[in-house]
Amino acid sequence: MNFVEERILKDGVVRSCTDLNVRGFLRNQLDTNLIERIGREFKARFGDKTVTKVLTLESAGIAIAYATAKELGVPLVIARKNRAADENSDYVAEIMDEAERVVSRVSIDKAFLSSQDHVLVVDDILAYGSTLQGLISIVDSAEATVEGLGIVIEKGFQEGGHRIRNLGYNLQSLAIIDSMDPKTGEITFRE
Amino acid sequence: MNFVEERILKDGVVRSCTDLNVRGFLRNQLDTNLIERIGREFKARFGDKTVTKVLTLESAGIAIAYATAKELGVPLVIARKNRAADENSDYVAEIMDEAERVVSRVSIDKAFLSSQDHVLVVDDILAYGSTLQGLISIVDSAEATVEGLGIVIEKGFQEGGHRIRNLGYNLQSLAIIDSMDPKTGEITFRE
């Protein structure tokens, strides 16, 4: 069991068979030592690749992505959600929030990604994969290269991880949850 | 001239007498070395206080606030904007975006601030001060103590800084801009 899995067992709260509350250490309140360690772990997993930028979507992934970019010594680029965007000066993608059935628009200024860039995409939680697919689409629009995708917690019982790996990407999740039992609070991780 | 002022002169773009574009190093793309140095500077300025938590509002201030919390060795609490909030379980404040004349609601889970907490509020840019006033209001709701407020760039020609200092708070801005000239691109800092 790694440090992320241990922390989930210690402080995560199973609210339903699909809903895990990690607000106290990863989302609304951040344990900065944990975040720094996550950044170091992503460096260990992707540091042998040529990475020129880390990319995330505001706002839940920002601290993790910053810690990762800091370790790798590269800039962090933050895609914005539902901001005024201009197809001439911004790369734009639509993402579907499958839980809430809402479409959002994500965008970044074209100045911050070019065909020379090798991008590590980082986010906190992976469920259906629509955020990652939107960020991959933005990297593709820039004709840049996706070197990998780093996720802290993957909900292995939803299809996002399967979708992204099927597309051939190097997706690394620090903890993959196969199931959660709200009655007992039990969490089963993938080996 | 300090390192923030130097960086603004090097990479900031004056778009009007009130609008400074710092997206390339502070907002949409982050220079992680700069962000880390800002965190260290806030530690130098507030490290003699008892600080138990750093507080910011999503999403522009998150990386700076994380870097500051990391230096101080305390958790980072992130207030959320326009999320579903419950007055029973969340502290809630309204903030007025004076540029866009829009009212937003900011909230944090009550679990993450208590009357025992000594809070350093951190944000990237200060203009009219409504975000800081909203965050101060949330700290007050928790009966916690505002130990100080750290800002990277203060627009000294707008009234936020004056308002907050008039209320007696220890507000530290790393760069205070007194005026900008869009014709020449000249930026005048407060001594």
Side-chain angles (χ1 to χ4, degrees):
Chain A
M1 190 167 298
N2 70 29
F3 69 100
V4 173
E5 294 167 329
E6 280 169 7
R7 188 58 181 269
I8 292 169
L9 289 190
K10 180 170 168 280
D11 292 323
V13 180
V14 179
R15 291 157 64 101
S16 76
C17 52
T18 58
D19 186 12
L20 177 70
N21 179 348
V22 292
R23 291 184 296 179
F25 57 100
L26 195 65
R27 285 226 138 174
N28 299 27
Q29 174 170 269
L30 277 60
D31 174 340
T32 55
N33 289 322
L34 177 74
I35 302 298
E36 185 179 47
R37 197 165 169 195
I38 289 168
R40 273 197 230 115
E41 179 64 26
F42 283 139
K43 185 188 178 180
R45 294 189 184 212
F46 296 104
D48 62 325
K49 315 280 182 216
T50 306
V51 174
T52 61
K53 299 218 167 147
V54 171
L55 173 67
T56 193
L57 175 65
E58 66 176 347
S59 71
I62 292 177
I64 296 155
Y66 166 81
T68 306
K70 183 80 201 75
E71 292 293 327
L72 291 168
V74 299
L76 167 62
V77 177
I78 301 170
R80 302 292 175 177
K81 212 165 170 174
N82 295 325
R83 305 279 173 117
D86 172 349
E87 302 270 356
N88 291 315
S89 58
D90 298 295
Y91 298 117
V92 181
E94 289 198 337
I95 60 171
M96 170 71 142
D97 184 325
E98 298 200 34
E100 298 184 12
R101 311 299 298 172
V102 175
V103 174
S104 306
R105 210 159 70 137
V106 301
S107 59
I108 69 161
D109 192 317
K110 287 185 179 175
F112 305 136
L113 272 187
S114 81
S115 60
Q116 306 302 305
D117 279 316
H118 293 255
V119 179
L120 174 61
V121 177
V122 169
D123 204 4
D124 62 342
I125 295 172
L126 168 59
Y128 296 99
S130 47
T131 296
L132 292 189
Q133 287 188 307
L135 293 174
I136 290 169
S137 155
I138 277 180
V139 176
D140 288 346
S141 301
E143 296 176 20
T145 307
V146 176
E147 282 295 340
L149 303 105
I151 291 290
V152 183
I153 303 175
E154 176 180 337
K155 292 180 170 176
F157 50 85
Q158 285 163 339
E159 60 261 42
H162 189 68
R163 277 188 197 166
I164 302 290
R165 290 188 185 92
N166 263 359
L167 293 168
Y169 292 105
N170 178 11
L171 167 64
Q172 300 267 336
S173 299
L174 304 188
I176 303 179
I177 296 173
D178 268 337
S179 66
M180 300 190 287
D181 185 335
K183 282 188 193 143
T184 62
E186 200 183 348
I187 299 171
T188 308
F189 295 108
R190 192 167 301 171
E191 292 290 328
Chain B
M1 190 166 297
N2 69 29
F3 69 99
V4 174
E5 293 166 332
E6 279 169 9
R7 189 57 182 268
I8 291 168
L9 290 190
K10 180 170 170 280
D11 291 323
V13 180
V14 179
R15 291 157 64 101
S16 77
C17 52
T18 57
D19 186 12
L20 177 69
N21 178 348
V22 293
R23 290 183 295 179
F25 57 100
L26 196 65
R27 284 225 140 175
N28 299 26
Q29 176 171 266
L30 277 60
D31 174 341
T32 56
N33 290 322
L34 177 74
I35 303 298
E36 185 179 47
R37 198 165 168 195
I38 290 168
R40 273 197 228 115
E41 180 63 27
F42 284 139
K43 186 189 178 180
R45 294 191 184 211
F46 296 104
D48 62 326
K49 315 280 183 215
T50 307
V51 174
T52 62
K53 299 219 167 147
V54 171
L55 173 66
T56 194
L57 175 65
E58 65 176 348
S59 71
I62 293 176
I64 296 155
Y66 166 80
T68 306
K70 183 79 202 79
E71 291 293 327
L72 290 167
V74 300
L76 166 63
V77 177
I78 301 170
R80 302 293 174 176
K81 212 166 171 174
N82 295 326
R83 305 280 173 117
D86 171 348
E87 301 272 354
N88 291 316
S89 58
D90 298 295
Y91 297 117
V92 181
E94 288 197 337
I95 60 172
M96 170 71 142
D97 184 323
E98 298 200 34
E100 298 184 13
R101 313 297 299 171
V102 175
V103 175
S104 306
R105 210 159 70 136
V106 301
S107 59
I108 68 161
D109 192 315
K110 286 185 180 174
F112 305 137
L113 272 188
S114 82
S115 60
Q116 307 302 304
D117 279 315
H118 293 254
V119 179
L120 174 62
V121 178
V122 170
D123 205 4
D124 61 343
I125 294 174
L126 169 59
Y128 296 98
S130 49
T131 296
L132 291 189
Q133 287 188 306
L135 293 174
I136 289 169
S137 156
I138 277 180
V139 176
D140 287 347
S141 301
E143 297 176 20
T145 306
V146 176
E147 283 294 339
L149 303 104
I151 291 290
V152 183
I153 303 175
E154 176 180 337
K155 293 180 171 177
F157 50 85
Q158 285 164 338
E159 61 261 42
H162 189 67
R163 277 186 197 168
I164 303 288
R165 290 187 185 92
N166 263 359
L167 293 168
Y169 291 105
N170 178 12
L171 168 64
Q172 301 266 337
S173 299
L174 304 188
I176 302 180
I177 296 173
D178 268 337
S179 67
M180 300 190 289
D181 185 335
K183 282 188 194 143
T184 61
E186 201 184 347
I187 299 171
T188 308
F189 295 106
R190 193 168 298 172
E191 291 289 328

